[in-house]
Each structure stands twice: as C-alpha cells, then as structure tokens.
Amino acid sequence: MNVDKMHLLEESVTELPPPLGGRVKAIGFGVGILGLASASVLGYLQEDHYTRFSFSYLIAWAFFLSITLGALFFVTLQHVTRAGWSVVVRRLAEGLSSQALLMALLSLPLIVPLAMGNHALFSWADHGAVEADHMLHHKAPYLNVGFFIARCVVYFVAWILMARFFFKNSLRQDGSKDPALTLRSERGSAPLMFVYAITVTFAAIDFLMSLEPHWFSTIFGVYFFAGCLVSFFATLILTGLWLNSQGVLRGAIHVEHYHDLGKLLFAFNFFWGYIAFSQFMLIWYANIPEETFWYLTRQEGGWITVALLLIFGHFIIPFVGLISRHAKRRTKILAFWAIWLLAMHWVDLFYLAAPALASRLKDGALAAGTLPLGLLDVACFVGVGGMYLAFFAVTMQKKRLVPWGDPRLNESLNFENA
Amino acid sequence: MTSTVYSDKEFDNTGADPTARAPLILGDLDIQGVTDVVAGIPEQPRTSKAWWIAFGISVSLAGMFGLLTAHLIYTGTGVWGNNIPVGWAWPIVNFVFWVGIGHAGTLISAILFLLRQRWRTSINRFAEAMTVFAVICALIFPGIHVGRIWLAYWMFPVPNQMEMWPNFRSPLLWDVFAVGTYGLVSTLFWFFGMIPDLATLRDRATGCIRKAIYGALALGWNGSARHWHRYERTYLILAALATPLVLSVHSVVSFDFAVAVLPGWHTTIFPPYFVAGAIFSGFAMVITLAVPARIIFGLEKLITLRHLENMAKVILTTGSMVGYAYGMEFFIAWYSGNATEGFTFKNRAFGPYAWAYWIMVSCNVIAPQLFWFKKIRSTPWLMLIVCIFVNIGMWFERFVITVTSLSRDFLPSAWGYYSPTLVDIGMLIGSFGIFFTLFLLFLRFVPVVAMAEVKAIMPEAHIHKSSHGEEPAHHA
C-alpha cells in the first residue's frame, strides 16, 4: 500500500553536517560553561550557603530532565505500539533520551552537597529539623540522605540503560537493517514502561514534592509526567524545524509529521491541565489544612500572578491557539506555541519548586509572596541548557538522524493525515 | 452466510513481523462477503432457539428488577442493606460499576479513531452498543435511590416557580450532567455511525415493514459522495467532542468520593485512576461478550485473534495503571503521616473487609498480568476467563472504596458492618438482565459490525495505491 519513498531520504541531508555540529557544540559549551560559572559566582555572592543557587539550579536541571524523560517515554511508547508514522522523528527522540547520562552528571551539584551534609534544598536532610518535627521524623525512613541518594542511583541507572537499549538497537539497525532488532526493542518496551512509571513517579516526589516535605499528593507523579511530555513534544518540534531550516532532513520530516506532533503537544497540554485541575480542585474542595497550605503559599503576593499565568498561559491560551488544524500545519505558528509552552513549563517548575525557598532562607531574607526571580535563574538555565545542547550535538554527530534501517521507515515517509 | 467451520489456528494474525502489517480481515472475505456475514445476522428468517432461551432468561431477570424496584418504591429504601454508617452501598457501587463498563465503547470509537487504530472498526459497533446499555443500567440506580422517586426531576435545574434549585456544589449533581451528556453523545455517536449500515439493511430488506422501519432509521442515506463527505467530517468532529467525555465522566464520578474528607476517598489521584479503571472494566466486558458472539454468529474472520489480543493488551495496560494507583494510595497513606488515612488502608487490607480487598487485588492487579503470556492473550477462552475475573474485581473495587471507608470512619463508636439484603442481590442480578435484554435485541436487529467502516480498511478500498508490486494488505 505504501509507495517507495526512500528516494526522499537519499536526496536529503540525513546527518548533522560537521561544520554545523561543530558550531552548535562550540556555542553550547561556551554558553554552558559561562552560565554555570556565573551561576556559581552569583550563588556564592548570595552568602546563603548556596540556598538560592540550589533552587535556581534545581529548576533549570528539572527542566532539561523533564525533556529527557519525555523523550524516553516517547521512544518506549513507539515500540510498545509498533508505531509507523513516527519513525522519522524517533532518532531525535532517542538522542534526547540519551541525555539521561548528562542529567546524571549535572545532578551532582544537587546531590554532592546533600551527601556532605548541606541541607539547602531539603529540610528533611537537617537533623535538627527532623528532631523537632514529628512529621519529618515519621517520614525519615523514606526521606533520609542515604536512601535518597540510593534512589537517585537507581533512577539514573534505569534511565541511562533504558535509553541506551533503544538507541543501541536502533543504531545497529542503521547498518544491518535487521528487523529482529525492532522486535527486540518492542519486546523490551512493555516491561520497561513499568520501570519508567515507577522511577519517574518517585523522582518527582523526591526532587520536587519533598521540597515541602509536609505536603503530599497521590497525583504528583502523573503531574510531573504530563509536564515532561509537553516539554518534550515542544522540544522535538523545534529541533525538527531547526534542522529543516538548516537543510537537514528536509524531505524526511514533513508537514504531516509536524501536524501529528502538534496534535500530541495539544493533547498532552490538555492532559496537563486535566491533572493540574484534578489536584487543585480536590484539595480546594476538601479544604483540609494539611493539604491546602501548599496552595495557600502559592496564592500569596506575587505567586497568585504565577498561578494565573499557569491557568491562562499554560492551559487556556495554548488550548485555543493549537486547536485548529491550520495552527498545527503552519510551521511558524507551531514553533511559536512550542516556544510558548516551553516557557510555561519553566514557569510550572518554578511554581512547584521556588515557593519552598522562603522557608529555607533566614527569617525575613525573602518576604512571603515575593517571587525569587533573578539573574541566578537565567544563569542556571543558560548553563544547563548550553551543556544540554552541546551534548546533544555530541550524541548526534556522525550518526544518521533518522533510523535508517527501520523496517517501517518507508511507512513513516508515506504518512499522511487522511 | 459462510458455514465453514473456522479454526483460530488456521488464521493466526497475531504475529509480530515488523516488516509487514498484519491483515485485519481474514480469509476469503471480500466486500460482498462482509455484507453477507454481518447483514445475514438480523436477516435470519428464524430466530435461533439459543437466542430465545438467552432472551427469556434476560427478560425474566429484567422483570425481577422491575418488581424489586416497585417493592423498593412502595416500601422505601429500608429494603436495602443501606444504613448508618454505610448509607451508600450497593446502589452506588452498581452505578459506578455500570458507568465504568460503559467506557470502552466511546474510547474505541473516539480515541482509537483519533489515534488511527484501524482494528477498532470490527469491534466499535457492539462496544458502543454496550456503552449505551451500560449507561442505561447505571442511571437507574441513582434514579431509584432518591427516596421519593416522584421528585427525581428535582435533579434537573428546571427553571420554575418552585424557587428550588439543585445544589450546584454537589458532585452528585455534576454526575447528572456528566453521565447524562455522556449517554446522549454515546447514543448519538452510535446511531450516527450506523446510518450507512442501516441503509444497507433497508436496501436488502424483502418485507415492506422491514423496509419502512430500516428506511426511516437510515434517514434517507443514498451513499452519494456528498453524503459520505459530510458523514466523515461529522464523524471526526463527534470523535473530537467525545474524547474529553471519556475522561470527564469517570473523573466526575470519582469526585463523588474524592471531594469528601473521608479517609480512603479523598486523594488526588482519583480522577485518572477511575478513568483507567473504567476503561479496564469496559474492555474486559467487550471481550466477555465478543468471544462468544464471534463464534455464535460466525464473525471470526472479522473479529480476529489480533483484535482480541490488542484488547488484552489494553486490559494489561489499564490494569497496571489501576495497580499503580493502589500502590500510590498506600504509599501516600503512610507518607502523609495522617493517622486515619493510614488506618483506613490497613483496615482495607486486614480489617473485616479484607476478603473483599484481596478479591479486588487478585482480580484487578494479578489476573491481567497473565496477559504477559502470548498464549493466554491469543486463546479466546482463556481470555474470557481472565476478563470475567476482571469484571468481578472491578465490581469489588467500588465495593471496597465505598463500604470500607464508610463502615469505619473517624469515630470507632459509630463503626458498623454492612451486609446486603436479598433485594440488593436481586437488583444487581436484575441489572444484568436489563443489560443482556437490550444487548440481545441489538444482536437480533442491528448490524453488529460496522460494515461500512470495515470495508474502508480492506485492500479493495486502496486499490489505486497498491501499484508498486507490494501485496495489498489491510493494515493494523
């Protein structure tokens, strides 16, 4: 039923041209090192034992981690469902998911100080606080430094090995075109989905929910997961469009694929809204103080602006903006919404993490309701982002940017939104 | 109608070869063959004895339900086992159970349609029918649970002179709208999708009464390109509108519990957890009905092993999601440090209702894991057994949530133990009678497979595309 369209690939550039890759690497490393260095200096100048730095860094790190985890889910899902349409974009997703290794390295500035007794981020790591607080004492079997680090090791090992498994199979297939490798990935994908669900859930609880260790929500893992998918689809769309603009993969990733990616971006943003609403509405309605305090701090002063920004900017406005077929098929409009939603995803992480900062600083250092925004956030974002970009270019160099040997490659090239 | 004896082994299309898509319509069936097989069922000149026996049993049970309802209304809700502290018992359990069953149909017709899952075409018609009938069964329970049934219309915001409005802050009222909308859209979707097939029955009808009835239902369909164009656009829009409904209905049902401050009810994961559970139970019911139906009506070439296997995979996925939610609830019950919450979960697993809890866990979490084995998810009768367990487990899930939390809340002096009465049991069984009565009527008078949609995924529909020497195949 599919016409042979492999010529589309043969006529187009399917590798990252070395000068282009080199330029990306240079810019990425340059900006990354500059960003991280200035972040450390700015963090030192705060004279708060790197507390502000830790929060800003955590938000930036979680932002790029969520893209990576979204990519990992996407790759796994494509194998679970034996998807055909997405083959041409899968290699880029494999490359993004392989940044799990980089994210593990970049987690060291969060984990090493914790291991050395710094409790800038997590109040549960402070022995004095745990002694004085019955609730923290109750949670200590889970929220303690040793177990936390052990869990981090498990998460990163799981994600790195998972990403490697799919990436290696796919790369080996470039040469051999062996369908058995597809079968191998498919067989592995379903059980690995379980590993994914459990690790992502607990990682979200550990790194974000436990910033305010008294608070709890059973849906929190799903909430973080929804954000991962939104940021990933936005990133994938932008990566594809940027490559196309540089003359790479022009015939391969075409408007039909962008249309579908746009639908998924729309759908998962809707899903994010659904999960966010469920969490908020149930806590608001039941009105139990042990849960509502979390939302209450997020309605004080400047935080209400952030909350409203999320409702309108993350959910309602992009919902209207992305609903039409026209918006998803015009690449400029689609790119606009992808950038918009990435920005909103950062705001979302800021909203999750940063309100805990006030309680971690000395009394009065940060008035309640003040948004702790500053150059430090920019420096951390640029620093982690630059490294992410550079390592992504390193991962993709000298490799095909499409799964060249995938048996469903032609099906993907033929794909049309009927 | 084909009368050849069919063996699943002969046509095994469950292979996983990545180089080719597996065929979805098997054997020698061509376009005419599909029509003959499907339209042949309502056109049988004589209704089979088996149908009459099944119908007789179902109608009797439905009649029993009617009598019990009369008894309930005449005597009062005291005929049920509901009593303080368990004021919500089997009626709400049955309501949630049936709404859950009604989730597969719209998921298959709306979400799987948007996801371009072509295998849905063979099963969507009767899954949708099942949805509509399940929603009818569901709506009966809150309808007769209002105490003074002659005032049931108070649930609707009738703009009136009574100066009495329903309580808009109550999730029970949201239910009226959510389930009502869902029932309406599902019925519309089901009927709309059937129009071309009803026209086929009209055109094939021999008697003039048949012709008149099917003709009226076919709404003047003439199969022109213009009709098809409008039909397909409308179908797409209906699918897009129905998709959020699949999520919203059971989310709202979950709010009935989750907005309360009762331990075991109030937890934020309830909405997606209930939706996953609903899809889980809905698909289990589709398999429970499809496995016997495909053999009785000779539909094995249309509803193939691959269709059943795909559904088994959906059950495995959603069953695992439900397991995830059980696990999260338990973990957070401890993590929250809330003593009553922690007690509730210990009480569920080890208290007086432990038997119900472990039936739920075995049926909902452990049983679907059997679908990891290819042998089990490609042997119809084994699937049937697993799915019956899932149906039982999902009824018990609602029982565990409702009854364990209510029977032991904050105040030990107010604790109690709930037992159903014979009327409770009779009404649960009777509701199955209503469901099967409607389903059997559907099997007898309406095309059970969406003929027009199935034909669109057959190779004949893509003749102009298969010019490159590839074997034409209808793709999964």
Side-chain angles (χ1 to χ4, degrees), chain A residues 90-385:
Chain A
R90 209 185 63 224
R91 177 58 52 82
L92 298 176
E94 286 162 354
L96 289 170
S97 69
S98 300
Q99 303 315 311
L101 181 64
L102 172 72
M103 296 323 293
L105 290 176
L106 288 178
S107 74
L108 293 178
L110 298 169
I111 293 174
V112 171
L114 185 70
M116 284 160 49
N118 177 315
H119 41 79
L121 272 177
F122 301 112
S123 60
W124 50 260
D126 178 356
H127 285 295
V130 175
E131 291 296 306
D133 186 329
H134 170 67
M135 212 38 111
L136 292 187
H137 191 70
H138 168 81
K139 297 182 190 199
Y142 182 79
L143 293 179
N144 63 68
V145 175
F147 191 27
F148 182 92
I149 293 172
R151 287 198 299 273
C152 291
V153 172
V154 172
Y155 304 150
F156 283 113
V157 168
W159 297 335
I160 292 166
L161 290 181
M162 252 180 96
R164 223 179 124 82
F165 169 72
F166 293 118
F167 202 21
K168 279 266 139 95
N169 276 344
S170 179
L171 285 174
R172 272 170 58 198
Q173 206 173 36
D174 279 3
S176 70
K177 304 211 173 204
D178 181 5
L181 287 164
T182 300
L183 220 51
R184 237 173 86 94
S185 292
E186 283 172 3
R187 295 229 165 96
S189 61
L192 287 174
M193 205 54 122
F194 278 64
V195 177
Y196 178 88
I198 291 165
T199 49
V200 170
T201 303
F202 283 99
I205 291 173
D206 288 352
F207 282 105
L208 295 168
M209 199 167 98
S210 85
L211 289 171
E212 280 165 87
H214 284 239
W215 191 70
F216 53 90
S217 170
T218 41
I219 209 172
F220 196 81
V222 185
Y223 183 95
F224 179 69
F225 164 76
C228 290
L229 267 291
V230 172
S231 60
F232 159 71
F233 282 116
T235 309
L236 185 62
I237 288 167
L238 291 173
T239 313
L241 287 175
W242 179 77
L243 286 170
N244 287 170
S245 76
Q246 301 297 316
V248 184
L249 293 180
R250 261 209 187 133
I253 308 177
H254 48 72
V255 66
E256 303 294 340
H257 301 112
Y258 289 117
H259 185 183
D260 254 29
L261 290 171
K263 289 182 208 168
L264 287 165
L265 180 65
F266 173 82
F268 276 97
N269 194 46
F270 188 86
F271 182 68
W272 176 89
Y274 163 66
I275 298 295
F277 172 76
S278 299
Q279 178 171 277
F280 175 79
M281 201 282 280
L282 290 175
I283 288 176
W284 168 79
Y285 198 116
N287 204 11
I288 305 172
E290 62 194 35
E291 291 177 333
T292 48
F293 79 90
W294 194 86
Y295 278 109
L296 222 52
T297 51
R298 282 160 179 77
Q299 289 172 6
E300 276 175 29
W303 285 109
I304 189 71
T305 319
V306 181
L308 291 172
L309 186 62
L310 285 177
I311 297 174
F312 289 96
H314 200 316
F315 184 52
I316 296 174
I317 297 171
F319 176 86
V320 178
L322 268 170
I323 199 166
S324 108
R325 173 185 164 92
H326 178 81
K328 284 169 286 213
R329 291 177 78 88
R330 296 294 176 287
T331 49
K332 277 192 183 136
I333 304 178
L334 185 62
F336 169 78
W337 288 116
I339 293 169
W340 175 290
L341 279 169
L342 277 177
M344 285 303 142
H345 179 58
W346 186 89
V347 174
D348 184 26
L349 290 169
F350 179 70
Y351 176 81
L352 292 179
L357 175 63
S359 68
R360 308 295 305 132
L361 292 171
K362 264 186 249 140
D363 280 340
L366 185 69
T370 320
L371 300 183
L373 275 170
L375 270 181
L376 200 47
D377 296 285
V378 180
C380 286
F381 185 85
V382 169
V384 178

Side-chain angles (χ1 to χ4, degrees), chain B residues 15 20 106 123 135 148 156 205 207 231 296 369 380 393 416 463:
Chain B
T106 312
I123 50 167
V135 170
R148 280 172 266 179
F156 298 100
Y231 172 84
I296 295 169
Q369 302 303 324
I463 242 157

Side-chain angles (χ1 to χ4, degrees), chain B residues 195-218:
Chain B
I195 290 172
D197 288 357
L198 289 170
T200 306
L201 287 187
R202 172 199 63 196
D203 298 343
R204 287 166 59 104
T206 43
C208 60
I209 298 173
R210 271 183 91 83
K211 215 175 192 75
I213 294 175
Y214 284 121
L217 289 172

